[in-house]
Structure formats: C-alpha cells, structure tokens
Amino acid sequence: MSAKSSFRRAASVALLWALALCALPVGVLARGALRVGEEQSPGTLNPMFPDDMYVVRATELLFDGLVGFNLANQAAEPRLAASWTLAPNGQDVTFQLDARATFHDGQSVTSDDVVFTVDAMRAALPWFREVVVSAKATDPHTVTIELLRRRESAAHALEDLTFKILPRHAFPDGKVMPAGAFSQEPIGTGPFKFAQRPGNAIELIRFDGRVPAAPRLDSILLLSSPDPKRHKDAVKTNNLGLLVRVQPKDVKELRAVKALRVFDYVALDWWYIGHNHRGKHTGKKEFRRGLTAALNLDALREAHLGDGATISGPWAAEDLRNPHAVPAPTQDTQAALQFFADAGYTFDATTRTLNDKKGNPVTLTMVVQPPLGAHEGLYTDLTAQLAEVGIALDVVKPPDLPSWAAQVRSGKEYDVVLGRWRPTPGDYLRGLFHSGGAENWLGYKNPQVDKKLDDLARSTSAAQYLKSLRELSILLWDDQPYTFLWSLKAYSAFNRQHYENLERIHPFHYFSHVDDWDQVGGGKP
C-alpha cells in the first residue's frame, strides 16, 4: 500500500470516528463495518494485561485461547486446540493443537507459542502462578499444561485455562510488557485482526484464515467516547450499530425506537467501597462495620444505577461462584452508631457529628475509580447518608486509572476507595484478600482469612472447595475489608434492521460469540 493510500485510509477512518459520534446521517459513513460504541478506549491490546473491561472486550476480538465455550451449555469447544485430555492425576492437561491454526501474520501456531505464553504469564502475573505450574511441548502441535491443583474433570480443569495465546516470534527479546509496539498493534489469532488505530478509533478486519471458522462480519470499528448522550444519539440514528453499555436512564427511550433492540444481561463485575486498612478510622473493624450499616445500598443503586442486586461478598449476585452464605446488608442506623461507639467514637446529636476520642469530627476522603466519577448524584446521596451518622465525606476524582491506582497503592491521603472490580480468571480472591496478595492494595491482613484462602488453594474436590468458600464468605462479612455494594444489570442496544444475533454475548468477555453475529440478509447497512 502506498503512503498516499495509507494516509487516505487513516483519514477516512478518523473522519468516520468523528462523524459517527456526532450522529450525522448514515449516508455519509463508510458502509460494511459494524460500528461499536464504548465509553473508553482500551489502554492496551495485549490480552495478558486486562486492566479493565475495555481491554477484555477488545482483545476477545483479536485473540483466541486453546478452547472456547458453547453459549447454550458452556461446554468446551475447539479453538486453537482441536482436542484435549486430562491425565489421571487430575493436573496434567494435554492439548493437541489444530495444525491449520495461524496467527494474523500467517505464521503457524505451535506448542512453542503456548509454552512461551504460559512462561510469560507466570513471570508477570501472581494469580496465574497460583493456577499453572508449567507448560511442556512434546512436538510442534502437542503441549501439556500442569495445574497446581488437582481437578475432578477436564471441564473443571479447562475453566482455569481460558488465557489467550501470544506469538513467540513477536517478542524477540522474550519480554512481554503492558506497553510497547505489540500492545498497540497486536498479532493475534482471533476472529478479527488489527488494521489501524487513528485517534480513539480501532479498526479491525475479518481474519479469513481463522480456525475453526472465520466470522460472518467483514469488519468492526470500536469507537469510544465518555459522553453517554453522544452514544445514545449515535445509536438512535444508526451511526452506531451497537452500543455496548446503555445507561439505565436511557433504556426506556431507546426501547421506543423501532429500529433498535435493547437487551439486558448480568455483568459479573461488582462495586465496592474499599477500606484503607492503614487508616486511623478504617483500620478498625467496628468502624468499617458501622459504615456499612449506615448505608441504604438499595436506595442508592435504584436512584442512580438502575437494576441489579446488593451483594454481601466479592461476587456478583448471579456469579456461579457466589456461595450465598450471608445475606445482603440492610441499613440500620442504630446498629451503625453502636459499632462506632464500640470503636471509641461519640455521636453528638446536637451538632450531628461523629467525633473520635480526641473530640475531632470524622471526615473521610473517598478516591473514586475512573470512569465512575460521572455519577454526581450518587456521591451527593452517599454523602447525605453518611451525614446522618455524623461523617463528612470528601470525594476525590483522579483523572485516569494510573493516577487512581498510584494513590490507592500508596496508602496515603485517603480513607476509602469507590471502585468496580472485574473478576479475573483463577483465584482472584487470594490476590485481593490474602496478606501477601498482589491486588491487596488496601493493606488488609487477617490470619484467619489467609488460612481459609490456603484451604481453598488445597481443595481437590468441589464439595471441599464450596465448604471453604462459604467459610471464607462468612469471615469476610464479619471483618468487612470492603463494603460490598452492588452487581448491576447491564444493557446493550443494536440496530436490528441491519444486524442479527448481536444479543448472543458472554456477560464477562462480551464478544466471545461474535462468530454468530451477522448482517440481516447478509447485506450491508
């Protein structure tokens, strides 16, 4: 491709991005691409470092793993691996790779790529080291992965092996980093391959060489904007074919548009208030329990976030891993004041302030994870509820995720964190709540919780695992390292006059079943 034609192509996609989110008539837009609206552009396109759901969704289009999962029954299906067997020891899974599989640049997928990926993930990701011991190649298309813990069945073992395969030849120095050329222009094996990234747009085109089959759609354009109104207007006028996240307040309006289908699904992420365990207030168990008891979580969610469920632990309400061992919290102001009193605080009914032992009124600083900072009404009502038990709240909104993460990790200048957790594959509970956990940024330490997490890691049967999980849930509820808030019902909208099957999604990875998506009648919108 000449420099002039490359420039024209980049300019046309950049123009498309600008026009699509300005809701101009569809006639001025390039035809044939499914235009997908997202709130934020992914910071990386490397599937090893899924910092947020935008990365997870984008990399699902670009990369495949060894297996996929059937939408109807969640049974494992071939992807890069044509077959697999679990050894009698319950730990060694041997995969026979599909000899036809290639990366987007035409190079064959071999067992060396699988070994390279496993080694890179073990080096970079603590949670993965708690799942996988090693990978060994027998021949170019046979590889055995050793799990840390015994599994009862192949289906159970495969749940831990959903990672995407990286091309060894793309990393000549053997180092896989979150940033760098590969993270911006990746080479995968998935249904679509990277074309270009002008501004906040990402253009992906169909990978015809994909095994076991290529997708039906020709191309996808991922278009990002933090402005929900712009997204709403764009999908109403067919300048977006799919809007991934519809704001709950816009559902009724969009359902009234004949051309659109709005559907809901249960997202597996969950919201929380994380307590800084180094803090002078939130380091006390009774204070944390008082704060949880002070909040009317159902009222906050219903007023500002829409449908969903209040949760009692680190699982979405519909997550199959949720043991449902303890009930969701309910507001109890008198219980909250008693918890505060047990922690050494005094509530002054005249000034309506909660005071510490020195008589100083309590003010908490809350750091909000981007992009949750847009919910102004939520913070207003949260502040009002805490004021009922005498606590003042200062809300801090860092400009981006790296700034937020740096402040949280520092343990300084904040008391609580408002965030949304996206569960990772494997044992994310250990990372969050073990005293040595990689994601335990809040400094939480509880020897009983550590022991129960160790018991989980040693579980060899589903019954033993569930028993330990229920006991862990009860411990976490009693100690309140976080105030667990909600899991929310999510909504998407697509143009059903031009596309079909777009409601076939995975609640976590979203694009896992993009192979089924198509244009109505095979035509172009």
Side-chain angles (χ1 to χ4, degrees), residues 71 215-217 500-502 504 512-518:
L71 179 62
R216 300 172 186 176
L217 296 174
E500 58 189 2
N501 300 329
L502 270 64
R504 295 174 63 84
S512 294
H513 306 287
V514 72
D515 295 358
D516 299 331
W517 296 10
D518 204 355

Side-chain angles (χ1 to χ4, degrees), residues 296-299 301 308-313 315 317 327-330 484-487:
N296 187 335
L297 298 179
D298 285 342
R301 173 183 53 77
T310 298
I311 58 175
S312 58
W315 305 274
T330 56
F484 301 104
L485 301 177
W486 318 281
S487 58

